[in-house]
Amino acid sequence: MINRMEDVAKMFGLNLGEAFRIADDENNNYSKYYRFSKKYGVETSWDNINWEGFNEKLLQLLMLGKVKIKKLPWKPAVYDEYYYPIPSDRDLWESRLWIGDSYDNIRFSRGLVCKTKEEAIDMAKKMLAVVKDGKNNG
């Protein structure tokens, strides 16, 4: 038999193993993390670190549209390269390997961690436009 969980994940706009949260329309309960996996179909975690198999009922609820997926922001894995905007630099960006230190986490919490150099440059340009607009109007 062919395992189709990768196709299921893509159908919901996710990659196999990509963590997400769900909420039903009534409660908006986002307490647990979930992910699609080839081994268990759907896995769950309280901390996004320790994963276990989950009741397949969730897959049915997703397919019927009774619960919604809430995608999480991209976060680099340890030693992955990421990019961030530097509006005061000529190149408008810088890169760094994610090690999970305070600098990485501050950038992440402020929404400054980008997958690509182009995303970082675009973000820096938007920052500069806000500053320029503020000076013209202030």
Side-chain angles (χ1 to χ4, degrees):
M1 287 206 116
I2 297 173
N3 187 315
R4 300 281 187 203
M5 288 313 298
E6 191 167 357
D7 297 330
V8 171
K10 285 184 183 194
M11 184 174 64
F12 288 104
L14 299 164
N15 293 315
L16 197 63
E18 180 180 349
F20 62 91
R21 290 190 162 170
I22 62 165
D24 59 48
D25 286 335
E26 297 171 10
N27 299 318
N28 283 330
N29 179 8
Y30 292 112
S31 58
K32 282 186 170 184
Y33 294 92
Y34 301 89
R35 70 181 182 187
F36 295 111
S37 77
K38 284 191 175 191
K39 185 174 181 180
Y40 294 112
V42 179
E43 295 177 333
T44 186
S45 171
W46 287 104
D47 58 8
N48 199 9
I49 297 170
N50 300 302
W51 293 90
E52 58 189 44
F54 184 71
N55 184 333
E56 298 296 326
K57 180 87 172 157
L58 174 65
L59 193 54
Q60 180 185 11
L61 294 173
L62 286 167
M63 299 292 249
L64 294 172
K66 301 213 181 242
V67 295
K68 297 177 187 176
I69 287 177
K70 181 179 189 263
K71 288 190 78 163
L72 302 175
W74 175 78
K75 188 173 187 178
V78 175
Y79 302 123
D80 277 354
E81 184 174 27
Y82 72 91
Y83 302 86
Y84 56 96
I86 305 282
S88 60
D89 188 76
R90 182 187 63 193
D91 293 330
L92 301 177
W93 65 276
E94 184 63 63
S95 69
R96 175 179 159 105
L97 295 181
W98 182 273
I99 57 173
D101 65 5
S102 61
Y103 295 108
D104 292 340
N105 286 304
I106 287 170
R107 285 187 193 106
F108 184 79
S109 70
R110 293 180 178 168
L112 300 173
V113 172
C114 302
K115 275 185 181 181
T116 67
K117 176 174 49 173
E118 292 74 23
E119 288 175 13
I121 291 169
D122 186 50
M123 190 179 293
K125 288 178 179 177
K126 289 176 182 176
M127 291 172 166
L128 290 170
V130 168
V131 171
K132 184 178 179 183
D133 187 48
K135 285 188 175 187
N136 289 341
N137 293 329

